[in-house]
Amino acid sequence: MGGVAEEGDPPPVPGGQPDLADDVEAAGLSPDRPSVSVLLTLDMADGPLRVGEITQRMQTGGPHATRLVKGLERRRLVHCVTDPHDRPASVTELTEPGAFAGTTYVRTLYGWFAEAVTDWDERDRRHFGRLLVRCVDDLTARLAAADAEEPRREG
């Protein structure tokens, strides 16, 4: 990262701002989105999760989630422990470096948004905030309706 751009690389961030991929790598992560998604899924959970729960929350296939968790475990960003409520099962939880990597990723994204609106006047920021809340509420309602319509799978 930070060297010569390769084919398929995203364009540099305007204004010479740090590249998110550089920040993520500095935090100990490879910048692949699926691995970051696993870390963020675990970070937003109330506690450790089974791979099946990670799969559901990421809406991906079980084998894919298992490979991602194993890769993160090799890099010591997560670790698997015995589920205290179900002895034969295991759950995945963030390690300290994994939590740091996820936090760094989120802070970088928030920083970009904060910088983007820093020169806006207060009225414009409030208006944007109201529209953003409306957008999130509408998306949440549509997703909830779609989930309610989806037939439930057993298993």
Side-chain angles (χ1 to χ4, degrees), residues 1 7-8 13 26 33 55 62 84 91 97-98 111 114 131 133-134 141:
M1 297 273 106
E7 186 176 324
V13 178
R33 285 190 182 133
T55 299
V91 291
L131 290 174
V133 167
R134 179 179 170 189

Side-chain angles (χ1 to χ4, degrees), residues 11 48 105:
Y105 183 86

Side-chain angles (χ1 to χ4, degrees), residues 32-42 44 54 58 68:
D32 66 291
R33 285 190 182 133
S35 292
V36 173
S37 294
V38 171
L39 291 180
L40 296 179
T41 297
L42 289 167
M44 290 186 284
I54 295 169
M58 288 180 56
L68 292 169

Side-chain angles (χ1 to χ4, degrees), residues 93-105:
E93 62 186 6
L94 292 171
T95 61
E96 198 170 308
F100 175 76
T103 299
T104 298
Y105 183 86

Side-chain angles (χ1 to χ4, degrees), residues 67-108:
R67 280 191 301 275
L68 292 169
V69 167
K70 292 295 180 196
L72 290 168
E73 193 172 26
R74 279 191 299 276
R75 293 186 311 213
R76 300 175 200 251
L77 297 171
V78 302
H79 63 108
C80 297
V81 296
T82 301
D83 185 337
H85 305 293
D86 184 3
R87 284 300 210 204
S90 65
V91 291
T92 304
E93 62 186 6
L94 292 171
T95 61
E96 198 170 308
F100 175 76
T103 299
T104 298
Y105 183 86
V106 170
R107 283 187 179 157
T108 300

